[in-house]
Amino acid sequence: MTIPLVDLGAQYRDLRVEIDAAIAAVLGRGDFILGREVGAFEAAFAAFVGTRHCVGVASGTDALRLAMVGLGVGPGDEVLVPANSFIATALAVSEAGATPVFVDVDPKTYTIDADCARRAVTPRSRAVVPVHLYGQPADMEEILALSGKHNLIIIEDAAQAHGAVHHLGRVGTLGAASGFSFYPGKNLGAYGDAGAVATDDEALADHLRKLRNWGSTVKYEHPERGCNSRLDTIQAAVLLVKLRHLEDANARRRTVAGWYDDMLESLADRVQRPIVADWTREHVYHLYVVRLRDGVRDMVLHRLHAAGIGAGVHYPTPIHLQGAYAAMGHRPGDYPEAEAAAREVLSLPMYPELTRDQVAQVVRALEAALG
Ligand SMILES: *Cc1c(COP(=O)(O)O)cnc(C)c1O
């Protein structure tokens, strides 16, 4: 691809000296598991998010799953999740032993639709997982109202929204706990799998430190069953370096999004640009997602690839129609907005190092692809 969807090499070239030194320090000490940088990163990330605690784990999926386990969400419980998200949002619920109940999304922001969530509440509803999708906060005012009314635990899926701000506060501080992913392509990405739970709840944080380490805080003492899901020291060292540059990188993403917004103005009748909700104070553009009507998306995607533009689709199949959830018996039409989004959305290249000229090149290729 001439212009890829994401270019992780560009960021490494900028931060190489700092990152190489950080990794070398861990290699020199050899404290690969729960070493020095793990605690340092947890403290720094908690300060960044604005929570009292952060517990590093092996992935974003585990962050969500362990947050649920730690909060006592499990077998017999229903958990509301948006039908349009990466499947990990639902799998985390299933792995915790609870049942995901899908909810349609708002057609403008693609985040969980609070009215649909309200209609999906049953006496078994225990929790809700708003996903701050593509870098934009979900409608948390409505979700908080719903949670208050039905006593639902809020676990934020903040895997795509490190640093995003809702007018009520920063993403990750708005529920009982939040799950972050540091998968390499995320706004804050490690060089392997990594994740974290952020929370103000000290008892939960202590519990999670046990759960991630086979249910143990004292070697060979296991008062409960946990698992092996630790953030490893090398990843924490990389994340500590990258965290220092995150605000800057997010600001550059917003600049790139602004260029796209301006340059796509002339195609506005055919290309719907991302809509920033009135509840959003700071969008962090994990992805720049446009919408194409009239059934042209797949053709445009194909033509962009042929032109060397790494466009993508997030996500081509809504979760309720995935084979993984076939046993729930959902049919096409059950969640029409999520299904329409799956047919019509298109992610254009988005990363902090993109230049104005590259954005112009993408827009020209998009115009040509539209015919
Ligand atoms: C990436 C992602 C996850 C899962 O994170 P991993 O670190 O890959 O396990 C969960 N939810 C959403 C919305 C994501 O984008």
Side-chain angles (χ1 to χ4, degrees), residues 22 25-27 29-43 56 209 212-213 230-237 240:
V26 181
L27 298 183
R29 282 198 319 272
D31 55 347
F32 298 109
I33 304 298
L34 297 180
R36 184 188 293 173
E37 284 83 356
V38 174
F41 173 72
E42 288 172 336
R209 287 199 176 86
R212 72 172 174 187
N213 194 41
R230 295 165 303 210
L231 168 64
D232 74 65
T233 314
I234 289 178
Q235 301 306 341
L240 256 180

Side-chain angles (χ1 to χ4, degrees), residues 58-64 85-90 131-134 157-160 179-184 186 192-195 286 315:
S59 70
T61 311
D62 271 3
L64 294 167
S85 179
F86 182 53
I87 194 168
T89 310
V131 180
H132 307 302
L133 200 69
Y134 311 145
D157 182 338
Q160 301 189 0
F180 286 86
S181 166
F182 307 120
Y183 174 83
K186 301 292 163 85
D193 279 309
H286 172 58
Y315 294 89

